[in-house]
Each structure stands twice: as structure tokens, then as C-alpha cells.
Amino acid sequence: MIRYLIKNNFKIMFRNSVNIFMYVLCPIITSAVLISAFSTLLESFESVDAFDVGFRIEEGSELSPYIDKLMEIGKDNGITFTEYKSGSPKQIVDDHNLGGFVEFGEKDYTVYESDDKEVEGATLEYLISAFFNSALSGDIDDITLDIEYSEHAVPVNSTDYYGIIYIVYFGWCAIVCAAGLLSHEKKNRINDRLKISNLSSLQIYLARLIPIVMVVALGIGTAAVITSFLLGVHWGNIVLSILLILLMITAASSMELMIYEMTFSMVGTIIITFGVVWVMGFVGGSFETYMFSGHSEMVKMLTPIYHGNRALVELSTMGHSDYVVSSMLYSIIITIVCSSIAVFIGSVRRSVKNA
């Protein structure tokens, strides 16, 4: 009986092909627009390799004894210092494509940064500052500095970022694909018939959940394949990425079926779902990249979309992510809790109906 119901629900969902088509089209269009609009923003979010800087020392400078050691430490960190006796620092930077320029005065120094190489300039300024702070507190020969880029600063381009996170975002809007099925059930009073059948509340619930998850996965999967070929979106570990997305789609479908059981209104369910998903997306990086977001890490960690975005983007850029496990656990917990509540509410309604 349950297999027949699942098969029938599949047929009903595919009759509403417009919803499925939009589910494929919307992620592609949204990703394409944002990839183009924010390509420059994410291009600037990259760590740097080796680069050159210029310097000049004023005659009689008290900083002269430190320069050789500074150059040695700079070289160890991929920064090569070249002396320029004359010329405007800004002009020298532009003419020689330098990452910055340092003028060492009698007792102090001035760092000139390139407008086109902000990361290199910030790195140079940090190195100079850290070096002289260490020099003032110890023996110059004992100074050691290692420049490390934060693990949070993952190099990612707009194509990979938006091509991935909008697959996640639309995956959390699974109720769109379920709209035709749930509306059909309500219009034809199928729920009333099911409540007096031999099927349990759990079986009735699974007969909805399984088709919804599979159809949403089909639509999202098609969109992901198209964006990969047409837009060049790069996915990291394919198997792991598919598993993460499937778990999130299952969690989303469970949550939205729970909301439907609570409200028993398709319109109410869509409004509440879109509100919840929008807030989770706003905090979790769907509209403002999670790397540049001003929200605290504690707030971000509250939303499953953040864990999913972070895991998938890092799998794409680094090949691994510490957020894979947390994303899976978050999705599994949401699925279990929301499914339990939905089945419980369905059982209560069925008992009242049969009373």
C-alpha cells in the first residue's frame, strides 16, 4: 500500500512540472547573475604568495643595523626587499609592480601600499610592525617571524561560491516542489481517506517525504550539473557533496512538512518556510558571503545553512572541511526532530478524526 502511495505521489508531483522546472531554472539564473556581479569582490579575497617590495634608508638612520635581519626574515616569508636610492615611493611601486615600499627615516619608518595590492600591503605592514616590536624586546639575532594566513580566509572565486551556496539555499525551499502534492491532497480530501486506512501515521508521512526529497534532489541535481558545465562551478569531493546536499534536502523537507502539519495551510507553510529560510540564509552566507559577514561566529553557527555552505565551499576550495560532520549532524537532528513532531501531530489528528 505504501509503495502504491509513494508512486502515486510521484505522479502527482510530476504533473506540476512548472514547479520542478522553476526549481531547476531559479538556481541557475540566480547563480549566474551573482557570479557576474560579485566576481571582483571575491577576487580580492585571496592570500598571496611571494612578492617584492622596495625600501630606502635615510643616511644615519638608527634603524640601519636592523635592515639585514629584516631582509632575511622577509625572504623566509616570501617577501623580497630591493633598495631604491631615488624616486617617488608611489611611482616606484607602480613602475616595478611592487607590493609596497618602506622608507626608513632617522628613528621611524613609513610604509607605502599599492592600491591594487591591498593584501600585499597589509602583509608588509604587519611584517615591519611585528619585526620592530620584537626587536625592541630582545636580541636582534633571536628574532623569528612566521606569517600565517587565517584558515577562515579560504581563496574562493564568485563562480564556485555562488554556484554552490544557491544550490544549498534552494534546496532548503523544498516546499515549492511539494505544493502541488499537498494542494491536491487537500482539494480531493485524500487526507480524510488516508486517516481511515490501514496505513500508520509514519507510513503516510514517509509516502510524502520520500517523493518530495527525490524530486527536489532531481531538480537541484540537474541545476548543479548545468551550472558546472555552463558556468564552470567546481565541486570538491563529489560523493561527499551529494551526501551533504541530500541530507539538507531531507532536513528541509521534514521541517516544512512539520510546519504544514501544524498549520494545515499551504499558504501559511510557504510564508513561514520562506521567512525561516531567508533568515537562515541571511545569517549563513546566502546573500552576504560568510567570509565578509559582520555576524558573530556564534550567531552563524546557529543556522544549518552556514554549516552546509561552509562545508561545501571548503570541500571545493581545500578538498576538506571541519564543517562536514557538523552539517551532517545538524541535518540528521532536524530530520529526526521535525519528522517525529510531524508524525505525532498526524497521529493526534487521525485519533480525533476516528473518534
Side-chain angles (χ1 to χ4, degrees), residues 175-251:
I175 196 64
V176 173
C177 277
L181 171 62
L182 299 178
S183 297
H184 175 83
E185 286 184 352
K186 195 168 185 180
K187 179 181 179 181
N188 294 280
R189 303 180 66 85
I190 293 176
N191 288 323
D192 293 338
R193 301 176 193 174
L194 292 174
K195 287 173 184 176
I196 59 175
S197 68
N198 292 326
L199 292 173
S200 66
S201 297
L202 177 60
Q203 289 175 315
I204 295 172
Y205 173 78
L206 290 176
R208 289 173 177 167
L209 179 66
I210 293 172
I212 293 171
V213 171
M214 297 307 294
V215 171
V216 172
L218 177 63
I220 286 296
T222 302
V225 171
I226 292 174
T227 55
S228 295
F229 281 101
L230 294 186
L231 303 179
V233 177
H234 170 261
W235 294 83
N237 186 317
I238 300 297
V239 175
L240 197 52
S241 296
I242 291 173
L243 179 58
L244 285 169
I245 292 171
L246 272 176
L247 287 173
M248 282 189 282
I249 290 172
T250 305

Side-chain angles (χ1 to χ4, degrees), residues 124-146:
L124 172 63
E125 190 168 348
Y126 166 77
L127 175 70
I128 301 292
S129 176
F131 174 81
F132 282 109
N133 285 338
S134 298
L136 292 174
S137 59
D139 189 339
I140 186 174
D141 294 324
D142 295 332
I143 300 175
T144 57
L145 290 175
D146 291 313

Side-chain angles (χ1 to χ4, degrees), residues 4-280:
Y4 169 78
L5 189 55
I6 290 174
K7 182 180 178 181
N8 189 58
N9 286 344
F10 265 117
K11 290 180 180 178
I12 294 171
M13 292 184 71
F14 276 109
R15 285 176 194 165
N16 295 273
S17 56
V18 173
N19 287 350
I20 301 173
F21 177 73
M22 292 300 294
Y23 220 78
V24 175
L25 193 61
C26 286
I28 297 173
I29 294 176
T30 306
S31 298
V33 170
L34 293 177
I35 285 169
S36 175
F38 294 106
S39 58
T40 304
L41 173 66
L42 288 180
E43 280 174 2
S44 66
F45 190 67
E46 297 180 354
S47 58
V48 294
D49 296 319
F51 61 94
D52 297 329
V53 299
F55 75 96
R56 180 181 301 137
I57 308 173
E58 183 179 318
E59 186 176 351
S61 173
E62 295 179 6
L63 304 180
S64 296
Y66 298 96
I67 302 304
D68 288 342
K69 185 64 176 179
L70 174 62
M71 293 174 67
E72 178 186 331
I73 291 177
K75 187 175 182 180
D76 291 340
N77 288 279
I79 302 174
T80 302
F81 285 84
T82 302
E83 186 174 8
Y84 293 87
K85 297 290 187 179
S86 61
S88 164
K90 289 286 188 182
Q91 192 63 45
I92 292 173
V93 168
D94 293 337
D95 290 346
H96 298 277
N97 195 30
L98 302 178
F101 191 95
V102 187
E103 275 194 329
F104 296 100
E106 184 179 349
K107 294 183 179 181
D108 56 12
Y109 62 86
T110 302
V111 177
Y112 297 88
E113 299 180 18
S114 169
D115 293 335
D116 298 327
K117 297 188 176 184
E118 295 181 1
V119 178
E120 289 89 337
T123 303
L124 172 63
E125 190 168 348
Y126 166 77
L127 175 70
I128 301 292
S129 176
F131 174 81
F132 282 109
N133 285 338
S134 298
L136 292 174
S137 59
D139 189 339
I140 186 174
D141 294 324
D142 295 332
I143 300 175
T144 57
L145 290 175
D146 291 313
I147 298 176
E148 295 183 1
Y149 295 96
S150 170
E151 292 183 0
H152 296 284
V154 182
V156 56
N157 57 44
S158 63
T159 300
D160 290 342
Y161 185 83
Y162 288 107
I164 289 172
I165 61 102
Y166 273 98
I167 293 297
V168 173
Y169 184 78
F170 281 98
W172 277 91
C173 300
I175 196 64
V176 173
C177 277
L181 171 62
L182 299 178
S183 297
H184 175 83
E185 286 184 352
K186 195 168 185 180
K187 179 181 179 181
N188 294 280
R189 303 180 66 85
I190 293 176
N191 288 323
D192 293 338
R193 301 176 193 174
L194 292 174
K195 287 173 184 176
I196 59 175
S197 68
N198 292 326
L199 292 173
S200 66
S201 297
L202 177 60
Q203 289 175 315
I204 295 172
Y205 173 78
L206 290 176
R208 289 173 177 167
L209 179 66
I210 293 172
I212 293 171
V213 171
M214 297 307 294
V215 171
V216 172
L218 177 63
I220 286 296
T222 302
V225 171
I226 292 174
T227 55
S228 295
F229 281 101
L230 294 186
L231 303 179
V233 177
H234 170 261
W235 294 83
N237 186 317
I238 300 297
V239 175
L240 197 52
S241 296
I242 291 173
L243 179 58
L244 285 169
I245 292 171
L246 272 176
L247 287 173
M248 282 189 282
I249 290 172
T250 305
S253 302
S254 303
M255 180 187 74
E256 288 149 20
L257 283 175
M258 178 194 71
I259 296 172
Y260 179 74
E261 288 289 354
M262 288 178 170
T263 62
F264 205 58
S265 166
M266 195 65 242
V267 175
T269 301
I270 290 176
I271 292 173
I272 294 171
T273 295
F274 281 14
V276 171
V277 173
W278 188 91
V279 171
M280 290 195 302

